[in-house]
Amino acid sequence: MLCGMWWVLVLGTGYVACLSQPQHTALMKFYDATGGQYRTHPPWNGSEACLWHGVVCDTSNTHVLRLSLVHCNLSGVLPDLSALQQLTHMVMSQNHLEGPVPEWLQQIKGLASLDLSENILNGTIPPWLGSMQSLQMLNLGLRHQLKSDGWLDRFYRGYSRTPFNTNNLVGTIPTELGMMGQLQVLNLGMNRLIGAIPSAICTALALRELNVKLNLLTGQLPRCLSALPRLEVLDVFRNSFAGPLPATLSSTLWFLNLGENQFDGPVPLGYSKLHNLQACACVRACVRLCPCACFLIPSY
């Protein structure tokens, strides 16, 4: 029943507070606007929003903390969910969501993970994303593959699979993304981005994964990439990067893909010291004058 501004659920003699009306209304508008057809999952209905598929609330059931709706047949433009002020994780990959990256996202100050990969988004990467200081994971590219037990096999399976959908973001990579002090994963793969990787990205010192594969990027790789102390994954496969490779790269790298670009010159001797490399995909020659095999010897 509706009591003042709160949805409440009475179970026997107990009282359980539920979501505020603005949150409940935002979820229902989202459900209606994106098709309301979650494949084999039960439909969203009733006042118990914290029990709906993909919705995770806090222990008191008063705030939505996570929305995880992967491969749920969502379509259309994302409606405003800024009423979910306590939201920390929003994962809606492998759907049919369209339109630009929505501006209302910047109103959710505590958002830590944003995954809109493998949809059909368009427009540019908005510079205001750089102001989202809580973001640790930003994925506007391909579905992320996690490193865990058996991660290597799963990584390669995910690496070679056909994407469910592909976003169509254009323009350059905003320098403002370097302002994201907590960002650990930046995945912009398989869009239509142009220009160079801005050197400002090297100021995101928490970065562990940088994935820009399958774009239209040009120029040289920033030399400052070696200054990223935690970088584990660097994937620039199939762009139009040129010139010499950076003299060194982060010693923490365990996956490196430089394949199908236009690099010149020898592989720097410093790459032989990348002792943490456990996987490397260099399809064709990553440089013209020296084969990748001279330094990419898997350690597994």
Side-chain angles (χ1 to χ4, degrees), residues 268-291:
L269 293 177
Y271 287 27
S272 63
K273 299 178 181 179
L274 299 178
H275 300 303
N276 290 319
L277 275 180
Q278 300 182 49
C280 194
C282 279
V283 183
R284 302 173 188 172
C286 66
V287 291
R288 295 194 183 115
L289 303 181
C290 187

Side-chain angles (χ1 to χ4, degrees), residues 241-267:
F241 292 114
L245 292 167
T248 60
L249 289 173
S250 175
S251 62
T252 54
L253 280 173
W254 60 263
F255 181 86
L256 174 64
N257 190 355
L258 305 171
E260 297 200 24
N261 282 283
Q262 300 172 27
F263 297 117
D264 287 314
V267 174

